[in-house]
Amino acid sequence: ETGVTQSPTHLIKTRGQQVTLRCSSQSGHNTVSWYQQALGQGPQFIFQYYREEENGRGNFPPRFSGLQFPNYSSELNVNALELDDSALYLCASSPGLAAYEQYFGPGTRLTVT
Amino acid sequence: QKEVEQNSGPLSVPEGAIASLNCTYSDRGSQSFFWYRQYSGKSPELIMFIYSNGDKEDGRFTAQLNKASQYVSLLIRDSQPSDSATYLCAVRAAGNKLTFGGGTRVLVKP
């Protein structure tokens, strides 16, 4: 157990809808990164938040957005869902930008129909 | 060319043998290198990281890094059936973004 929690565990949405995924970072960790993992592939970096500010973004469209709160928990929002958004969404927390370790939560499995 | 490349496998290894996993990367600015293990339906868990050329050992695992060849490997000694999983290589350049390979599936047969 890494101490990183995510909710919900599973989610089914319809194309065009919006979704919000949540992540609670490990105690003492101020940095949260979000990744998308399609079936059979490695995780792909979506974006990272450090002390409530976005600190880097991967090759994802603007309909993927996020927030980090003062307690360092985080949300990932996806608008106008597409079928290809079906994936495992992972958040990872770390104790700072310079830290080597990133610890993953259990993930949220999103299915878009 | 993918930024981080791994053989997808499966790599079939007899119990008790050494499993050898390889990973190559394209960004010469990469600074640190990570191996994660992912069981089916679960999230990745960090096995170890390395940032200096040479070997780094942790229990039954040894990571090897050769920055000149842009190559990092993972050896698993005395492989056990519980080691059967997908092993993800990840690379970090500037910042804290991890770039992952597609993973190598390892099957340890009793």
Side-chain angles (χ1 to χ4, degrees), chain B residues 7-13 18-22 74 104-108:
Chain B
N7 188 318
S8 61
L11 176 66
S12 186
V13 179
I18 296 175
S20 178
L21 291 77
N22 303 317
L74 180 70
T104 298
R105 187 172 160 223
V106 172
L107 294 174
V108 180

Side-chain angles (χ1 to χ4, degrees), chain B residues 23-101:
Chain B
C23 172
T24 58
Y25 60 94
S26 60
D27 184 354
R28 284 196 172 273
S30 299
Q31 298 172 351
S32 47
F33 308 85
F34 302 80
W35 285 100
Y36 282 83
R37 177 175 62 197
Q38 187 172 28
Y39 293 111
S40 181
K42 302 294 185 181
S43 62
E45 56 179 315
L46 181 65
I47 299 173
M48 61 193 306
F49 61 87
I50 186 169
Y51 52 83
S52 299
N53 275 332
D55 295 358
K56 180 181 179 182
E57 186 175 317
D58 184 357
R60 296 187 295 113
F61 298 96
T62 298
Q64 300 173 316
L65 174 61
N66 184 325
K67 288 187 177 180
S69 300
Q70 296 175 245
Y71 174 94
V72 58
S73 65
L74 180 70
L75 301 178
I76 308 173
R77 290 184 300 280
D78 187 24
S79 296
Q80 301 297 309
S82 60
D83 294 326
S84 297
T86 296
Y87 289 79
L88 297 163
C89 170
V91 169
R92 190 172 83 183
N96 211 16
K97 163 192 170 183
L98 292 179
T99 301
F100 284 84

Side-chain angles (χ1 to χ4, degrees), chain A residues 19-51:
Chain A
V19 69
T20 298
L21 310 181
R22 295 178 175 83
C23 171
S24 291
S25 58
Q26 187 170 326
S27 177
H29 287 192
N30 57 20
T31 305
V32 173
S33 303
W34 285 92
Y35 293 84
Q36 180 197 65
Q37 187 175 25
L39 203 59
Q41 298 182 23
Q44 279 195 293
F45 176 75
I46 303 174
F47 44 56
Q48 179 184 82
Y49 280 85
Y50 171 65
R51 293 186 173 183

Side-chain angles (χ1 to χ4, degrees), chain A residues 60-72:
Chain A
F60 280 82
R63 59 190 185 84
F64 285 79
S65 63
L67 281 173
Q68 188 178 33
F69 300 99
N71 66 355
Y72 302 133

